Amino acid sequence: MAEFDLYEGIVQHSSKSCGAYCVNAALAQLGFMPKATDVDTLNAADLTKGYDVTTDPGRINLWRLSHLIYHRLQIAEVVTTQTYKVSGNLELDLTASPGPTALYKENDGTVDLENSPSGMVAVAKTLAPGLAKNITYYTAFGKGLFNNFKVLNAAGGYLFNREEDLIQNKLGKTVSLSTVTSIPFQTNQVNLILVQYAGTNTMHWVAGTRHLTDTDKAMIYDPVTGDVLEIATTGHFKPQTSSSAKPATQIGPNSYEFPGIWIRLGA
């Protein structure tokens, strides 16, 4: 199967739904396309309970996308709106005083909220329980970036610490420190990579896997354009190490910086 062939040309339906598209594209790439599956959403009223809200679960049906291929553009939006109910649960405020804040919120699929790593991990864990790898990686800078945000929910703390607790202690998946100088890509694995538009604090997600035949290249699906692009790995995908060192990679029309948070899913 060509890289991200089911999601090539599929553009995110709202400005912040990128993470939902990336996790669905990754699962499709890895061959996990189950029929309608309920995925619990985060208990925003009590974060200590994690993803246990089943009153209005996200019923995600990736099977439809692969079996109704001639209508995949329309189906992808419907399916991914369901995924976004789970992954799109963060409201970030960079202008708050005395410092940035984060608020976890419920999402009916239409509210434009940031995708949390824990929400994306929850989707992958439920739709693809047979995944050999479901690991969230972070660099020291990425951890610091997330911990700039104070969580406003009860018992919230700071954003990285809260996400780490949700992923490790509530979802039972690994969170691991990485010291790599370039984000690695492997065959039969997909990275869901948090990026920032160069020179801004605007967050976005892209998905990437190693090129099928050229180990020096990665294939990147960017839901903001719907493009699947071949990008050389040498000299690119370098995580940020400080507020002044911001290496960027050009992916289609956009230049992205890599603050150092990504999720590796592997078959």
Side-chain angles (χ1 to χ4, degrees):
M1 181 173 70
E3 295 93 340
F4 304 117
D5 58 346
L6 282 178
Y7 267 76
E8 185 170 11
I10 292 176
V11 178
Q12 62 195 65
H13 66 269
S14 61
S15 64
K16 295 181 181 177
S17 58
C18 48
Y21 282 82
C22 285
V23 69
N24 280 5
L27 294 176
Q29 174 66 24
L30 294 168
F32 292 94
M33 304 192 72
K35 292 184 178 180
T37 304
D38 289 341
V39 180
D40 291 344
T41 56
L42 180 65
N43 191 330
D46 186 353
L47 299 181
T48 64
K49 293 184 177 179
Y51 286 79
D52 75 340
V53 178
T54 57
T55 54
D56 184 21
R59 194 163 177 78
I60 304 168
N61 191 340
L62 282 173
W63 179 89
R64 291 185 65 211
L65 191 63
S66 62
H67 285 76
L68 299 171
I69 192 137
Y70 294 107
H71 302 284
R72 68 185 180 92
L73 297 182
Q74 299 93 322
I75 291 170
E77 179 173 342
V78 173
V79 171
T80 312
T81 296
Q82 294 297 103
T83 300
Y84 193 43
K85 291 181 180 181
V86 182
S87 65
N89 58 13
L90 264 181
E91 182 177 80
L92 302 180
D93 186 353
L94 287 161
T95 65
S97 179
T101 60
L103 179 65
Y104 288 96
K105 301 176 73 172
E106 294 181 5
N107 194 345
D108 65 0
T110 65
V111 183
D112 216 13
L113 299 173
E114 302 286 353
N115 297 264
S116 67
S118 62
M120 297 164 71
V121 168
V123 171
K125 174 185 176 179
T126 307
L127 295 187
L131 278 174
K133 295 183 183 297
N134 186 342
I135 303 170
T136 303
Y137 288 98
Y138 68 94
T139 63
F141 183 87
K143 177 177 180 177
L145 175 71
F146 265 44
N147 268 349
N148 282 331
F149 293 88
K150 184 176 181 180
V151 178
L152 298 180
N153 305 73
Y158 290 89
L159 184 56
F160 179 88
N161 299 338
R162 177 53 58 190
E163 282 290 297
E164 184 176 39
D165 177 65
L166 288 170
I167 293 170
Q168 287 198 152
N169 299 325
K170 305 305 185 297
L171 293 170
K173 296 301 178 182
T174 300
V175 179
S176 181
L177 172 65
S178 175
T179 57
V180 297
T181 57
S182 180
I183 294 172
F185 296 92
Q186 303 293 336
T187 54
N188 298 318
Q189 297 180 12
V190 178
N191 288 331
L192 311 175
I193 310 169
L194 179 69
V195 300
Q196 291 180 311
Y197 289 93
T200 77
N201 293 313
T202 303
M203 296 188 184
H204 180 55
W205 290 89
V206 299
T209 187
R210 180 180 283 185
H211 191 284
L212 281 175
T213 58
D214 190 337
T215 59
D216 295 323
K217 294 179 180 177
M219 299 300 295
I220 304 295
Y221 165 63
D222 188 347
V224 78
T225 60
D227 294 332
V228 176
L229 299 170
E230 182 180 289
I231 308 292
T233 52
T234 302
H236 295 147
F237 307 106
K238 296 181 177 296
Q240 188 173 346
T241 56
S242 72
S243 58
S244 59
K246 297 184 175 183
T249 296
Q250 193 72 27
I251 299 176
N254 296 309
S255 184
Y256 294 127
E257 297 161 359
F258 299 82
I261 301 282
W262 68 98
I263 301 164
R264 172 164 290 182
L265 304 178

